[in-house]
Amino acid sequence: MDNKTEFYALLARQAVSLIENEPNLIANLANVSALLFQSLDDINWAGFYLDDGEELVLGPFQGKTACVRIPYQRGVCGSAFRHKRVERIADVHLFEGHIACDADSRSEIVLPLYRGKKLLGVLDIDSPKKARFDDHDETGLTLLVNELQKHL
């Protein structure tokens, strides 16, 4: 087992311990975004965008101020939501339709978030470092999101 695998397994357990007895969605997403922001190296934003039926709307996050509304057809978040898949982008400036909420962000990973079978929104994590996220990060964050979804 490599260090990143162990790190993300621990992070997922910490996230569950923060949320398992709290029924409030916003409180849980706030704590998970804080946990991610304080635990991950080389990131400048971690948070959630939630579906309001017309577009994605800013939810709990940690980092600089952010775009409030993201159309389904725009940006990395819109693409992950629309296609219901993880989007891991090494250089956001090369991503067609990228929305530059923070000019310092260079790479991004976005994971769909479900409550039961309903697509609730996305987890979005940005980094000022190009190609910050690798396969291990994607696997580990997918594990974390899967654990989170069991408690939403």
Side-chain angles (χ1 to χ4, degrees), residues 106-144:
R106 291 299 308 260
S107 61
E108 184 170 7
I109 188 166
V110 180
L111 299 95
L113 180 69
Y114 288 85
R115 178 187 261 171
K117 294 185 182 204
K118 179 183 176 1
L119 184 55
L120 187 65
V122 297
L123 167 61
D124 179 21
I125 305 173
D126 296 352
S127 173
K129 182 179 173 188
K130 190 175 176 184
R132 157 62 179 86
F133 306 102
D134 62 17
D135 289 337
H136 297 290
D137 296 300
E138 183 173 334
T139 299
L141 289 167
T142 298
L143 168 71
L144 186 142

Side-chain angles (χ1 to χ4, degrees), residues 16-139:
V16 168
S17 72
L18 286 171
I19 67 171
E20 65 185 339
N21 295 314
E22 175 53 57
N24 186 276
L25 175 68
I26 299 303
N28 287 335
L29 297 183
N31 262 338
V32 170
S33 62
L35 176 67
L36 290 168
F37 193 75
Q38 71 188 22
S39 300
L40 296 173
D41 293 330
D42 298 318
I43 67 165
N44 57 345
W45 203 90
F48 296 88
Y49 280 92
L50 302 174
D51 180 26
D52 77 348
E54 295 182 19
E55 59 195 343
L56 297 173
V57 179
L58 182 64
F61 73 94
Q62 296 283 308
K64 292 181 181 179
T65 57
C67 296
V68 174
R69 297 183 177 274
I70 297 177
Y72 301 136
Q73 304 303 321
R74 298 232 12 242
V76 180
C77 290
S79 180
F81 185 85
R82 187 172 67 253
H83 298 295
K84 298 176 176 68
R85 68 174 182 226
V86 175
E87 291 282 3
R88 180 168 38 109
I89 309 301
D91 186 346
V92 295
H93 300 294
L94 301 178
F95 185 86
E96 188 172 332
H98 170 65
I99 302 168
C101 297
D102 180 355
D104 293 335
S105 291
R106 291 299 308 260
S107 61
E108 184 170 7
I109 188 166
V110 180
L111 299 95
L113 180 69
Y114 288 85
R115 178 187 261 171
K117 294 185 182 204
K118 179 183 176 1
L119 184 55
L120 187 65
V122 297
L123 167 61
D124 179 21
I125 305 173
D126 296 352
S127 173
K129 182 179 173 188
K130 190 175 176 184
R132 157 62 179 86
F133 306 102
D134 62 17
D135 289 337
H136 297 290
D137 296 300
E138 183 173 334
T139 299

